[in-house]
């Protein structure tokens, strides 16, 4: 394991999930996702940029090792319109996401963390408006908390009730610590 004080790691208060636990969680998520891809036709898999890129790459590698070739499509959304609070309106900023490609398909949305659920809830609603037959959600970490919106992950690799800010495995803290191979609570 890396020295916890390298690369701004002095901000790390506690390692919540070790690199081994993260890899095991990615294994479980990839197995779940592979099952959907193998048993359902027309599955589209979208992952949230930027934070989820690391988790998506972990899933793609595991799927390939299992003999499943599936493109995970990056999607960029915005929900913070000139505030620091997530809004109910989610804009899909990628022009390559077309309504007609989604109609009648199973859509899997992948993200690094399901926290308040506002963005994911709005995005799920948007995909259903585009005509998706079904929308499922897979996250690396799900905060097991009460939310203002009714949403849960269909698959969560890890769960926590902790409320601290988390970083590592793609999650960043003010642009830092995204490269950590473990999930840490931040000071």
């Amino acid at each position: 394991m890396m020295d916890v004080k390298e690369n701004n790691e002095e901000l790390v208060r506690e390692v919540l999930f070790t690199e081994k636990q993260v890899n095991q969680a990615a294994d479980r998520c990839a197995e779940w996702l592979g099952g959907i891809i193998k048993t359902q036709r027309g599955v589209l898999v979208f992952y949230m940029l930027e934070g989820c890129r690391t988790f998506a790459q972990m899933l793609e590698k595991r799927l390939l090792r299992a003999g499943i070739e599936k493109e995970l499509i990056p999607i960029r959304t915005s929900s913070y319109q000139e505030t620091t609070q997530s809004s109910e309106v989610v804009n899909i900023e990628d022009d390559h996401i077309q309504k007609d490609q989604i109609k009648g398909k199973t859509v899997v949305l992948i993200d690094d963390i399901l926290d308040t659920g506002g963005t994911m809830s709005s995005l799920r609603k948007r995909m259903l408006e585009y005509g998706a037959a079904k929308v499922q959600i897979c996250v690396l970490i799900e905060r097991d908390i009460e939310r203002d919106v009714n949403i849960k992950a269909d698959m969560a690799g890890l769960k926590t009730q902790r409320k601290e800010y988390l970083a590592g495995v793609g999650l960043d803290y003010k642009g830092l610590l995204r490269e950590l191979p473990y999930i840490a609570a931040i000071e």
Side-chain angles (χ1 to χ4, degrees), residues 119-132:
T119 299
M120 189 61 76
S121 177
S122 294
L123 188 56
R124 179 181 63 186
K125 181 180 176 186
R126 177 72 53 89
M127 293 296 175
L128 291 169
E129 288 170 358
Y130 285 179

Side-chain angles (χ1 to χ4, degrees), residues 108-178:
V108 179
L109 301 173
I110 304 213
D111 206 355
D112 49 8
I113 188 166
L114 181 60
D115 200 355
T116 64
T119 299
M120 189 61 76
S121 177
S122 294
L123 188 56
R124 179 181 63 186
K125 181 180 176 186
R126 177 72 53 89
M127 293 296 175
L128 291 169
E129 288 170 358
Y130 285 179
K134 183 181 201 178
V135 178
Q136 294 189 284
I137 298 167
C138 176
V139 295
L140 177 58
I141 305 166
E142 181 174 19
R143 283 200 205 261
D144 194 12
I145 59 171
E146 212 170 296
R147 296 181 177 88
D148 291 338
V149 294
N150 182 20
I151 193 162
K152 285 223 168 260
D154 296 287
M155 177 59 186
L158 302 164
K159 290 191 177 200
T160 185
Q161 293 180 335
R162 305 271 300 260
K163 294 180 179 13
E164 298 97 331
Y165 204 92
L166 305 180
V169 192
L171 291 161
D172 74 296
Y173 175 70
K174 298 182 179 181
L176 304 171
L177 306 173
R178 195 182 294 270

Side-chain angles (χ1 to χ4, degrees), residues 48-67:
M48 308 300 183
L49 286 175
E50 282 297 318
C52 190
R53 184 185 314 267
T54 301
F55 181 46
Q57 290 169 343
M58 293 171 82
L59 293 175
E60 282 182 322
K61 287 177 187 174
R62 284 161 172 80
L63 290 173
L64 280 173
R65 277 192 300 231

Side-chain angles (χ1 to χ4, degrees), residues 3 14 30 34 57 71 73 75 84-85 88 95 140 148 171 174:
D3 176 4
E14 178 185 355
Q57 290 169 343
E71 177 186 14
I73 306 163
I75 186 170
T84 58
Q85 297 294 317
E88 299 255 340
D95 294 335
L140 177 58
D148 291 338
L171 291 161
K174 298 182 179 181

